[in-house]
Amino acid sequence: MRLASLMPFLLSYRWSLFAILACALALRLAAGAWWQQRLPAGKTFGFPDSESYWELGRKIARGEPYEFGPERLAIFRTPGYPILLAGLFLLAGDEPPVSWARALSAICGTIAVGGVASLARLLFDERTALLAATLTALYPEAIAASTFVLSEAPFGPLMVFQLVAWTRAWRADSGRQQFGWAAAAGVLGGLATLMRPSWLLFVPFAIAAGMASVRFFRSATQSAAYRRHMLIGATLLATLCATLAPWWIRNYAVAGRFVPTSLQVGASLYDGWGPQATGASDMQFVPQFIAEQHQVDRDQADRDQADRQATLPPRGTFEDRLDRRLRNASLAWATNHPVRVLQLAGIKFLRMWNPLPNAAEFGTGTLRAILALTYTPLIALALVGAWRFTRRDWPYLLCLLPAFYFTGLHMIFVSSIRYRQPAMLVLIVLAAGILTRWLARPTAAPST
């Protein structure tokens, strides 16, 4: 068979996307190997969070209680990412190499590239989809998120495909298709929340934004648009809750009350709102609070003993009491320092959307320059695309909402460029949309 006859087949959308995905996977695998070699001797992961995920994954695989640390924290992490890591322990039969976890992150990051292409194809065309996939495959921050042993890697594709399903539900021609895609979006949202608990409120946030934006669009009557948002939103919320229900039931059995995600909200809030807060994460205060809570529990036990009520345990679990203590301390500090809270909000906003990385791990001049030179034009294109396309219809605005959601969230909690990466995945779709149209403009013929 001649090469000329093979060209249309080889240049088809599917084969082009396959080549982009293969390149994306190779880059992410290479980045994972490079990062592992770069770590100092005796350091396995590079991020403290990775150790907790790894330990919980090991415990799931061995059938041990889902607890972390000497305090036996049972609701320390949502179980999504540890369950993925548990699969590696089951495959290895003992202790898998960390390189396996980095390879798993690379695969998840590559799936996210495919999700970006799928969303861009839905909103624009195949040419835009291939460009969006290429930009995501080569974007350094997306590669980095697929390198570490962190929950960002599996969260990315779940988030993107949730938006794909939500878009398909919005554009469905029949009630059955609308229900099916909305239900899929809710399930994906639940799984994404089990990976990253901060995603829990995105669905109600997006539903509220959709209802408020109905008058912004002219593609449908207001009553029809309101009804569609309500039906899709109700289905999304129902399936989201159904997906999270097993975790909620388990948490209630452990803590004796409803815990929607984890009992790390108090510590995270104090990390962002406290006397030591700078906008960056620094959990050095936690041991002091643990010691103080132990002392409070001992004092309470002594009082109960004096009152001959020693058989009554303290109210709730230690983990729950510690979480409440941290949360109350944070809210009390924020109430007494409103000006500093506003200052921190501005600092966190700048940390999140800064062209230059904040963390010392990315402090080399060359790497900082690469990140700045790739991020700056991409975010500029995304902003132009948002201005141009979000007035078309709801799914285009939906691409912008993760950026608003994560920005608002991390103006309260700690902030870093790490937390903008999921939002950048869908902003790339808008950037590719505007770039494709600019490249497709016919050039003016030279005057004679």
Side-chain angles (χ1 to χ4, degrees):
M1 186 178 293
R2 294 181 178 180
L3 180 60
S5 62
L6 282 173
M7 287 303 292
F9 178 69
L10 294 175
L11 295 178
S12 67
Y13 171 78
R14 290 185 178 181
W15 276 101
S16 297
L17 180 59
F18 177 80
I20 295 169
L21 294 177
C23 177
L25 179 60
L27 286 172
R28 283 151 177 76
L29 290 172
W34 172 81
W35 177 260
Q36 190 66 41
Q37 293 176 355
R38 185 175 178 270
L39 292 175
K43 199 168 185 178
T44 305
F45 298 106
F47 290 90
D49 291 351
S50 302
E51 298 179 8
S52 62
Y53 289 123
W54 193 256
E55 177 63 24
L56 290 171
R58 180 191 291 114
K59 291 199 169 187
I60 292 173
R62 295 179 178 177
E64 299 175 1
Y66 189 75
E67 299 171 342
F68 177 74
E71 309 300 330
R72 300 178 65 184
L73 306 178
I75 316 179
F76 181 71
R77 297 280 187 203
T78 49
Y81 191 41
I83 288 174
L84 275 184
L85 294 177
L88 301 181
F89 283 89
L90 292 174
L91 287 173
D94 187 19
E95 188 82 5
V98 176
S99 60
W100 287 22
R102 300 198 187 279
L104 178 62
S105 293
I107 293 170
C108 290
T110 304
I111 296 172
V113 175
V116 169
S118 179
L119 185 58
R121 191 183 186 191
L122 275 175
L123 298 185
F124 298 105
D125 50 41
E126 291 184 351
R127 184 180 179 185
T128 305
L130 293 176
L131 178 58
T134 301
L135 291 173
T136 310
L138 300 177
Y139 184 47
E141 288 183 28
I143 295 173
S146 309
T147 299
F148 309 127
V149 184
L150 294 170
S151 60
E152 279 88 346
F155 171 78
L158 289 170
M159 183 203 74
V160 174
F161 278 107
Q162 180 188 7
L163 301 188
V164 169
W166 202 328
T167 298
R168 287 191 172 275
W170 181 258
R171 293 184 170 180
D173 295 325
S174 67
R176 183 176 181 179
Q177 288 181 340
Q178 183 183 92
F179 174 81
W181 284 114
V187 171
L188 288 167
L191 295 176
T193 301
L194 291 174
M195 293 293 174
R196 284 193 68 180
S198 59
W199 193 243
L200 176 67
L201 298 178
F202 177 77
V203 168
F205 167 78
I207 292 171
M211 298 290 286
S213 66
V214 166
R215 294 185 180 183
F216 188 61
F217 306 111
R218 301 177 182 176
S219 57
T221 63
Q222 291 185 18
S223 60
Y226 279 127
R227 184 167 59 252
R228 183 172 288 256
H229 273 300
M230 290 177 65
L231 290 173
I232 293 173
T235 305
L236 267 160
L237 286 173
T239 51
L240 173 73
C241 292
T243 305
L244 294 173
W247 179 243
W248 290 348
I249 294 169
R250 181 264 184 188
N251 288 349
Y252 190 87
V254 172
R257 68 176 182 90
F258 175 66
V259 180
T261 53
S262 73
L263 287 176
Q264 281 296 293
V265 176
S268 298
L269 190 60
Y270 195 86
D271 202 14
W273 281 352
Q276 83 301 325
T278 62
S281 180
D282 184 0
M283 290 285 193
Q284 294 185 21
F285 58 84
V286 172
Q288 177 185 347
F289 274 87
I290 290 176
E292 291 175 356
Q293 187 59 53
H294 276 305
Q295 184 60 51
V296 169
D297 286 351
R298 284 192 293 268
D299 292 344
Q300 182 64 45
D302 291 342
R303 287 192 293 270
D304 290 344
Q305 182 68 33
D307 294 338
R308 298 182 179 180
Q309 295 177 352
T311 57
L312 296 176
R315 181 174 177 269
T317 64
F318 174 82
E319 184 178 13
D320 190 14
R321 295 191 297 275
L322 178 64
D323 181 70
R324 291 174 186 269
R325 185 179 188 83
L326 283 159
R327 182 192 61 193
N328 293 339
S330 177
L331 293 176
W333 180 88
T335 301
N336 293 325
H337 301 84
V339 175
R340 181 55 180 166
V341 167
L342 291 176
Q343 290 175 342
L344 284 170
I347 292 170
K348 294 169 188 176
F349 177 87
L350 294 176
R351 285 181 58 85
M352 184 168 181
W353 297 105
N354 190 352
L356 296 174
N358 307 291
E361 291 86 352
F362 303 98
T364 63
T366 302
L367 189 54
R368 288 168 66 88
I370 291 173
L371 292 175
L373 291 174
T374 52
Y375 164 75
T376 304
L378 194 59
I379 193 64
L381 286 169
L383 291 174
V384 175
W387 175 258
R388 173 77 178 275
F389 300 123
T390 52
R391 290 173 288 180
R392 284 186 174 185
D393 196 9
W394 160 247
Y396 298 90
L397 179 60
L398 187 59
C399 288
L400 200 57
L401 292 184
F404 284 110
Y405 178 77
F406 281 121
T407 299
L409 201 67
H410 290 286
M411 287 173 69
I412 299 172
F413 298 96
V414 295
S415 182
S416 168
I417 65 170
R418 167 186 170 187
Y419 300 112
R420 77 183 180 210
Q421 178 49 38
M424 289 298 297
L425 291 175
V426 285
L427 288 178
I428 286 175
V429 173
L430 299 177
I434 198 68
L435 186 57
T436 301
R437 274 136 192 82
W438 286 353
L439 296 174
R441 286 179 180 175
T443 56
S447 60
T448 57

